[in-house]
């Protein structure tokens, strides 16, 4: 099996590559990543010398680079590469449209030209917009994205479906809920909270903190992604959720408990504009068709994740100071194009 992964130096992509390399030693993995502020090759240190792993630095908007990097007889593209943080998309949506929309179309064109076997597109539950208290996002629910990030991901999904309908591309789309776990850049809520608290700093809570997210450990997500890649039906969308909804205050409560810290470490600040109140994916179809279920309970997953960040202070410090970018220079003799911004 020859798999071309985009965005494999990021949080979920690097977990996916580590899992594939360990579970399928005969699979060949090519990681194509632009190395933005979110791409960190030290996430892949455990596999970088594996004979079946190769890194290629490039931008998914660059069709020539893609054509050069995608091998002949490529069984699958797994497309993680994206600008992924809602707050950044509120501050500036341009990069989101370029990478998430134009980049996805450029990759679809390259997949077609290279006759790639399957296109696994990684999307998000955020394309469905904010759910009411009793509402669930189903695979056939209408899309109602409300942040520039979610809108760019919804556009990308439409382009993938269009390539399937128009050109017969074999694709599957996954929509996952909020991931957490090791190697997550400390700009998203949970790693930000853990890193702040480990440094003795407070955690900013937007608005009343009663927004609901369905947390899933990244290992559970990647297990599902592998199932969809190998056994998902062509042209289908699969939801992946943790089945463990928590308000932000509850989720942060679990982090505080793991660190034995008081609630006074939470500071309420003004709300995010257009803040989605609740995400809720119905993943019954994925469970019943692919015999998958999340296994890591939120409280156990949080304890493990807090321990990981506490034991990997070098990784955190390097990421927060931007020094991880030196890794590229040392190992690859290259400098990243996008400057790191401290979360
Ligand atoms: P991330 O921000 O950690 O990583 C993104 C990766 O993409 C980085 O390595 C970055 O360098 C690379 N990249 C960005 N622009 C690129 C470009 N133009 N060309 C090539 N590479 C580029 O993101 P993540 O949290 O690992 O998310 C991965 C995917 O999963 C994204 O598509 C995201 O929308 C989706 N997703 C994430 C979550 C979550 O909770 N993190 C939930 C649902 C879906
Ligand atoms: P985030 O991790 O950015 O994921 P998303 O917005 O894609 O769900 O945020 C998760 C929730 O936490 C969301 O409701 C916004 C909130 N939040 C805070 O309250 N404070 C923070 O500092 C951040 C980054 C997020």
């Amino acid at each position: 099996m020859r798999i071309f992964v985009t965005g494999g130096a990021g949080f979920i992509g690097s977990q996916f590559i580590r899992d594939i390399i360990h579970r399928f030693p005969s699979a060949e993995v090519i990681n194509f990543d632009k190395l933005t502020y979110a791409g960190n090759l030290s996430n892949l240190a455990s596999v970088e010398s594996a004979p079946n792993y190769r890194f290629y630095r490039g931008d998914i908007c660059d069709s020539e680079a893609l054509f050069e990097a995608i091998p002949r007889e490529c069984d699958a593209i797994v497309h993680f590469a994206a600008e992924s943080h809602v707050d950044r998309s509120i501050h500036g949506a341009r990069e989101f449209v370029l990478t998430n929309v134009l980049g996805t179309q450029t990759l679809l064109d390259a997949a077609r030209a290279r006759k790639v076997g399957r296109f696994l597109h990684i999307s998000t539950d955020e394309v469905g917009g904010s759910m009411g208290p009793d509402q669930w996002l189903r695979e056939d629910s209408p899309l109602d994205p409300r942040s520039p990030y979610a809108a760019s991901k919804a556009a990308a999904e439409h382009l993938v479906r269009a390539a399937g309908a128009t050109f017969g591309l074999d694709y599957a789309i996954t929509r996952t809920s909020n991931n957490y776990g090791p190697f997550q850049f400390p700009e998203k809520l949970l790693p930000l909270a853990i890193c702040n608290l480990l440094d003795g700093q407070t955690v900013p809570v937007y608005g009343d903190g009663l927004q609901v997210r369905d947390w899933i450990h990244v290992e559970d997500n990647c297990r599902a992604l592998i199932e969809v890649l190998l056994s998902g039906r062509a042209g289908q969308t699969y939801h992946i959720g943790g089945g463990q909804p928590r308000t932000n205050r509850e989720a942060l409560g679990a982090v505080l408990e793991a660190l034995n810290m008081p609630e006074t470490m939470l500071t309420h600040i003004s709300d995010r504009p257009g803040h989605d109140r609740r995400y809720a994916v119905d993943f019954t179809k994925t469970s019943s068709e692919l015999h998958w279920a999340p296994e890591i309970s939120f409280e156990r997953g949080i304890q493990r994740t807090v321990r990981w960040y506490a034991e990997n202070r070098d990784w955190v410090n390097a990421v927060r100071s931007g020094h991880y970018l030196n890794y590229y220079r040392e190992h690859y003799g290259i400098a990243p194009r996008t400057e790191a911004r401290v979360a």
Side-chain angles (χ1 to χ4, degrees):
M1 187 167 48
R2 191 174 277 163
I3 308 174
F4 185 82
V5 176
T6 70
F11 164 50
I12 305 175
S14 64
Q15 178 76 46
F16 178 84
I17 290 179
R18 294 192 304 272
D19 290 352
I20 288 278
I21 297 275
H22 290 135
R23 274 183 61 183
F24 306 98
S26 62
E28 200 182 307
V29 177
I30 298 119
N31 175 18
F32 184 93
D33 196 300
K34 179 179 171 184
L35 300 180
T36 69
Y37 78 95
N40 186 347
L41 288 174
S42 69
N43 299 355
L44 293 155
S46 65
V47 296
E48 69 180 358
S49 54
N52 52 341
Y53 169 75
R54 215 152 22 101
F55 172 68
Y56 195 111
R57 185 170 183 233
D59 185 335
I60 55 166
C61 297
D62 180 345
S63 51
E64 274 176 35
L66 281 174
F67 205 71
E68 206 181 292
I70 298 173
R72 282 173 210 287
E73 290 166 29
C74 180
D75 296 299
I77 288 180
V78 183
H79 177 32
F80 293 96
E83 288 293 333
S84 69
H85 188 39
V86 172
D87 291 327
R88 285 180 190 264
S89 80
I90 293 169
H91 290 123
R94 185 182 157 79
E95 288 294 323
F96 287 73
V97 175
L98 287 176
T99 286
N100 301 0
V101 185
L102 179 63
T104 298
Q105 183 57 50
T106 311
L107 187 61
L108 286 164
D109 291 340
R112 191 154 61 92
R114 273 277 184 247
K115 299 188 170 50
V116 170
R118 162 156 282 200
F119 193 98
L120 177 58
H121 179 70
I122 311 300
S123 190
T124 164
D125 61 355
E126 303 193 22
V127 296
S130 194
M131 298 285 114
D134 301 316
Q135 204 183 349
W136 291 87
L137 185 72
R138 302 214 158 74
E139 285 79 1
D140 57 358
S141 301
L143 302 192
D144 184 21
R146 289 165 29 90
S147 72
Y149 163 66
S152 68
K153 293 293 290 185
E157 277 197 21
H158 288 311
L159 293 171
V160 175
R161 282 196 199 89
T166 312
F167 303 111
L169 181 83
D170 177 320
Y171 74 87
I173 295 174
T174 56
R175 294 190 192 131
T176 312
S177 60
N178 287 62
N179 281 230
Y180 70 97
F183 297 107
Q184 188 170 25
F185 193 87
E187 62 180 355
K188 308 267 167 69
L189 178 67
L190 293 180
L192 176 80
I194 295 168
C195 293
N196 276 14
L197 292 168
L198 287 171
D199 282 347
Q201 295 166 9
T202 58
V203 180
V205 179
Y206 299 163
D208 61 10
L210 297 177
Q211 303 81 9
V212 175
R213 300 292 184 266
D214 176 14
W215 297 98
I216 182 169
H217 194 279
V218 65
E219 287 173 15
D220 275 337
N221 178 27
C222 286
R223 236 179 355 97
L225 297 179
I226 292 172
E227 288 304 325
V228 176
L229 174 66
L230 299 179
S231 313
R233 284 182 293 138
Q236 294 289 311
T237 300
Y238 291 93
H239 286 177
I240 303 169
Q244 306 183 80
R246 298 283 187 281
T247 64
N248 291 340
R249 288 223 307 245
E250 287 168 341
L252 291 170
V255 175
L256 289 171
E257 198 177 313
L259 286 164
N260 203 15
M261 284 182 162
E263 275 215 24
T264 49
M265 294 304 285
L266 307 184
T267 311
H268 285 267
I269 63 168
S270 55
D271 211 350
R272 172 189 277 173
H275 199 165
D276 285 344
R277 196 68 181 166
R278 174 174 176 263
Y279 297 136
V281 276
D282 178 341
F283 54 93
T284 319
K285 169 180 161 183
T286 308
S287 293
S288 58
E289 260 188 44
L290 302 176
H291 311 294
W292 169 90
E295 287 173 358
I296 302 173
S297 81
F298 183 66
E299 281 65 29
R300 186 163 67 87
I302 283 294
Q303 279 169 6
R304 274 175 54 186
T305 305
V306 166
R307 203 175 322 123
W308 186 88
Y309 278 91
E311 287 171 357
N312 288 275
R313 302 290 288 163
D314 289 350
W315 184 92
V316 174
N317 292 337
V319 167
R320 285 201 136 176
S321 63
H323 279 157
Y324 72 103
L325 302 173
N326 290 336
Y327 189 93
Y328 308 146
R329 297 189 190 97
E330 281 164 26
H331 290 253
Y332 294 92
I334 51 177
R337 284 177 220 163
T338 309
E339 283 306 310
R341 276 161 286 176
V342 178

